[in-house]
């Protein structure tokens, strides 16, 4: 365990470039907003199997375009979002207002996680599909903030036939992505004296995809986070050609999600 603990801490990066990250998420904000209505709620189901969040203070770290803010509000949580990307916050406000929530119910903090100084104690932290789990400084701060428990959900593997086809036609490799960070957090929590429940779910399906739902994500995964608008144009051009050829884009997808809930032993 000690050897893995040392490996885990060394595996995670030391400092996140937040300004660079915000540029990327601002570009993808409108795309993210299109995914808010997805009905998959495996993260919420897992969380609710462990805790009752009604009237509890919850901080959604990296709340994005508001998908899980809505789900947490729907369950009666006193939830606040933490999202440094301005365009993501704007999309979240628009989405939550469309869902019937007023300004007094929509609490969004603009700081990045490293700079955030909480003014209240949060019962639970909620972290979903957030690259911040790749940085050791964030792990240490998360431990100091979740009074009753910490939920972390993340992709472990993603295979999409459309992405494979697109990369092949562009004659570009898909950029490698590190997906074992959740496993590292699992072992770090255990080492640090937490009870941890862990679950993995795999879903294989055929899915209808719109170009505007994936153009920036696919561009980032093929050209890297520093992609240019010319890269987006190339990707969109190919995606539009697929849509014209088939009168819609259907693809086979396989997604593996991991989720953990960590809480201190009594």
């Amino acid at each position: 365990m000690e050897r893995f603990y040392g490996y885990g801490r060394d595996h995670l990066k030391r400092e996140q470039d937040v300004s660079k990250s915000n540029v990327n998420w601002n570009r993808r904000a409108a795309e993210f907003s299109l995914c808010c209505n997805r009905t998959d709620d495996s993260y919420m189901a897992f969380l609710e199997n462990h805790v009752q969040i009604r009237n509890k203070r919850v901080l959604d770290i990296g709340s994005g375009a508001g998908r899980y803010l809505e789900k947490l509000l729907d369950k009666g949580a006193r939830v606040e979002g933490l999202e440094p990307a301005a365009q993501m916050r704007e999309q979240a406000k628009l989405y939550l207002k469309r869902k019937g929530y007023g300004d007094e119910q929509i609490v969004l903090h603009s700081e990045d996680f490293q700079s955030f100084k909480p003014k209240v104690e949060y019962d639970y932290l909620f972290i979903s599909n957030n690259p911040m789990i790749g940085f050791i400084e964030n792990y240490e701060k998360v431990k100091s903030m979740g009074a009753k428990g910490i939920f972390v959900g993340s992709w472990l593997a993603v295979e999409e036939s459309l992405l494979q086809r697109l990369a092949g036609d562009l004659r570009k490799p898909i950029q490698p992505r590190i997906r074992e960070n959740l496993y590292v957090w699992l072992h770090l929590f255990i080492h640090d004296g937490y009870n941890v429940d862990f679950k993995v779910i795999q879903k294989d399906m055929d899915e209808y995809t719109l170009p505007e739902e994936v153009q920036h994500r696919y561009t980032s995964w093929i050209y890297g986070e520093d992609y240019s608008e010319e890269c987006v144009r190339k990707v969109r051009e190919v995606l539009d050609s697929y849509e014209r050829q088939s009168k819609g884009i259907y693809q086979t997808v396989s997604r593996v999600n991991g989720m953990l809930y960590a809480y201190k032993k009594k």
Side-chain angles (χ1 to χ4, degrees), residues 3-48:
R3 287 184 63 189
F4 187 91
Y5 183 72
Y7 162 78
R9 296 183 66 88
D10 291 341
H11 172 83
L12 298 179
K13 299 176 183 177
R14 286 294 180 268
E15 186 174 350
Q16 186 175 11
D17 187 340
V18 176
S19 60
K20 179 179 178 180
S21 177
N22 286 346
V23 169
N24 185 44
W25 296 120
N26 278 324
R27 289 198 287 187
R28 294 180 60 184
E31 188 173 289
F32 260 69
S33 70
L34 298 175
C35 302
C36 284
N37 287 315
R38 287 183 176 175
T39 57
D40 174 36
D41 60 355
S42 55
Y43 285 176
M44 290 299 300
F46 180 80
L47 178 64
E48 288 189 290

Side-chain angles (χ1 to χ4, degrees), residues 141-164:
K141 188 170 182 178
V142 161
K143 284 197 306 176
S144 73
M145 288 177 56
K148 295 182 178 179
I150 301 161
F151 168 87
V152 187
S154 183
W155 299 110
L156 298 178
V158 180
E159 292 184 8
E160 301 181 19
S161 61
L162 179 58
L163 176 62
Q164 298 286 342

Side-chain angles (χ1 to χ4, degrees), residues 60 87-88 97 103 150 155 184 194-195 211 244 246 249:
D60 182 358
Q87 292 302 313
M88 283 289 194
K97 286 181 178 180
D103 289 332
I150 301 161
W155 299 110
V184 174
Y194 285 78
N195 282 332
R244 288 193 301 270
S246 305
I249 305 174

Side-chain angles (χ1 to χ4, degrees), residues 62-228:
S63 51
R67 179 184 178 192
Y68 286 105
L69 280 175
E70 182 211 359
K71 294 180 184 298
L72 292 162
L73 283 166
D74 287 348
K75 298 298 182 180
R78 299 164 64 190
V79 61
E80 300 175 12
L82 180 61
E83 178 51 64
Q87 292 302 313
M88 283 289 194
R89 291 196 306 276
E90 186 61 29
Q91 291 292 339
K93 290 177 185 177
L94 293 172
Y95 175 69
L96 292 172
K97 286 181 178 180
R98 288 199 301 270
K99 292 296 182 177
Y101 289 102
D103 289 332
E104 72 284 356
Q105 297 165 295
I106 303 172
V107 181
L108 288 169
H109 301 282
S110 61
E111 301 98 319
D112 60 81
F113 181 64
Q114 293 88 342
S115 303
F116 181 61
K117 294 180 174 57
K119 297 179 181 178
V120 299
E121 181 179 72
Y122 295 101
D123 298 303
Y124 302 105
L125 302 185
F126 185 90
I127 306 169
S128 64
N129 303 332
N130 192 328
M132 59 89 72
I133 69 172
F135 300 87
I136 190 62
E137 60 181 343
N138 294 334
Y139 169 75
E140 298 294 347
K141 188 170 182 178
V142 161
K143 284 197 306 176
S144 73
M145 288 177 56
K148 295 182 178 179
I150 301 161
F151 168 87
V152 187
S154 183
W155 299 110
L156 298 178
V158 180
E159 292 184 8
E160 301 181 19
S161 61
L162 179 58
L163 176 62
Q164 298 286 342
R165 179 185 178 188
L166 176 66
D169 287 344
L170 289 170
R171 297 183 180 179
K172 298 284 292 184
I174 298 171
Q175 298 285 321
R177 306 186 68 78
I178 297 173
R179 299 199 181 276
E180 62 265 27
N181 291 328
L182 186 64
Y183 294 119
V184 174
W185 278 50
L186 166 66
H187 285 85
L188 292 179
F189 275 128
I190 293 171
H191 179 277
D192 289 338
Y194 285 78
N195 282 332
V196 186
D197 291 333
F198 185 76
K199 185 175 183 179
V200 174
I201 296 177
Q202 179 169 339
K203 294 186 178 180
D204 302 314
M205 67 194 84
D206 293 326
E207 185 174 272
Y208 180 76
T209 302
L210 297 171
E212 55 267 30
E213 293 176 329
V214 297
Q215 61 181 0
H216 281 278
R217 175 161 65 90
Y218 283 180
T219 303
S220 176
W221 288 10
I222 292 173
Y223 290 97
E225 290 188 358
D226 295 327
Y227 64 88
S228 66

Side-chain angles (χ1 to χ4, degrees), residues 222-240:
I222 292 173
Y223 290 97
E225 290 188 358
D226 295 327
Y227 64 88
S228 66
E229 288 305 309
E230 176 62 15
C231 295
V232 180
R233 186 195 65 77
K234 291 178 181 177
V235 166
R236 184 59 188 259
E237 188 176 81
V238 177
L239 291 173
D240 285 342

